[in-house]
Amino acid sequence: GAGVSQSPSNKVTEKGKDVELRCDPISGHTALYWYRQSLGQGLEFLIYFQGNSAPDKSGLPSDRFSAERTGGSVSTLTIQRTQQEDSAVYLCASSPAAGGTDTQYFGPGTRLTVL
Amino acid sequence: DQQVKQNSPSLSVQEGRISILNCDYTNSMFDYFLWYKKYPAEGPTFLISISSIKDKNEDGRFTVFLNKSAKHLSLHIVPSQPGDSAVYFCAAWDSGTYKYIFGTGTRLKVLA
């Protein structure tokens, strides 16, 4: 079946603009995760959803970042007033349920460049 | 503060030899560990995992070893193949915060 998809694959924006990143998880997966990988860094956890609710938003770097998930499916990560330090690859993953033993399936990522 | 550390950013190994990738963690409450492989321009893909109740898990050419007392795990690939060239991430499941904590990755290059 179809894997996790993300759009756009690449996004170049100017500092101060808002961007919206989209993630389509695997159908039926209730858990959805957002990570970002900055150059030379590991995967930094941002937020996860169990269904439509986000029990833990502590990973979001600032209040310019927000995320929502509707219908237990598609999720969007919004970054307002982008800064150059927001440049990174943003990865989305889904799993059947939230929990350590459930494998996460990652999308290909969105490469965000803030000029 | 990095709770999961991969101290070797890169590793080169000859085809056919063993590749050993290391990972250290600081939180003794971590109870499940995973390895992911990542090719350029693709998302990470799950490779192998191990529960803290075990000290070894094997899947084909891939074996993960866990030393809880040393808070250390390693991934062994034998024999290594050129197609194994990728970035390998170690991750730990933190059941206290319900998060996966990832290391910074090790870039493996298998030389033909």
Side-chain angles (χ1 to χ4, degrees):
Chain A
V4 177
S5 61
Q6 292 184 248
S7 60
S9 54
N10 278 286
K11 177 72 177 178
V12 180
T13 190
E14 292 179 347
K15 178 181 171 181
K17 300 275 190 181
D18 298 352
V19 295
E20 192 172 277
L21 312 180
R22 178 187 167 108
C23 172
D24 280 272
I26 292 173
S27 177
H29 281 192
T30 60
L32 186 148
Y33 304 80
W34 282 99
Y35 297 87
R36 76 173 173 182
Q37 184 181 17
S38 303
L39 192 63
Q41 302 297 313
L43 275 67
E44 175 190 2
F45 168 83
L46 298 179
I47 189 171
Y48 91 92
F49 289 89
Q50 180 62 26
N52 291 334
S53 65
D56 184 353
K57 300 181 182 179
S58 64
L60 295 177
S62 75
D63 58 9
R64 296 186 295 105
F65 287 71
S66 63
E68 65 173 15
R69 188 179 186 196
T70 55
S73 181
V74 171
S75 176
T76 53
L77 176 69
T78 302
I79 309 173
Q80 295 178 308
R81 305 181 302 282
T82 52
Q83 303 293 312
Q84 288 181 331
E85 61 262 29
D86 299 334
S87 297
V89 175
Y90 289 81
L91 290 158
C92 171
S94 71
S95 66
T101 59
D102 267 344
T103 301
Q104 292 182 92
Y105 297 85
F106 282 85
T110 293
R111 181 174 296 277
L112 175 66
T113 303
V114 182
L115 301 176
Chain B
D1 182 33
Q2 197 74 14
Q3 294 190 72
V4 176
K5 300 176 186 177
Q6 294 177 258
N7 292 318
S8 298
S10 64
L11 175 69
S12 289
V13 171
Q14 207 66 34
E15 180 180 7
R17 298 289 186 102
I18 184 170
S19 295
I20 299 176
L21 296 98
N22 294 304
C23 179
D24 297 290
Y25 60 96
T26 58
N27 190 337
S28 58
M29 297 303 291
F30 290 160
D31 56 9
Y32 195 75
F33 304 89
L34 311 94
W35 284 94
Y36 284 81
K37 178 166 84 169
K38 185 182 184 301
Y39 293 118
E42 295 182 12
T45 55
F46 171 75
L47 196 55
I48 193 168
S49 62
I50 189 165
S51 163
S52 60
I53 62 173
K54 295 186 174 181
D55 54 19
K56 177 183 175 182
N57 188 26
E58 194 171 350
D59 183 2
R61 297 184 298 113
F62 302 91
T63 303
V64 56
F65 294 92
L66 176 63
N67 182 334
K68 288 190 291 293
S69 61
K71 297 193 187 71
H72 176 84
L73 64 157
S74 60
L75 174 68
H76 292 210
I77 307 173
V78 55
S80 301
Q81 300 173 353
D84 296 330
S85 297
V87 176
Y88 289 79
F89 289 98
C90 166
W93 171 249
D94 185 345
S95 55
T97 59
Y98 241 65
K99 291 179 188 175
Y100 293 95
I101 311 294
F102 281 80
T104 52
T106 296
R107 182 177 301 279
L108 173 66
K109 189 170 184 178
V110 180
L111 306 168

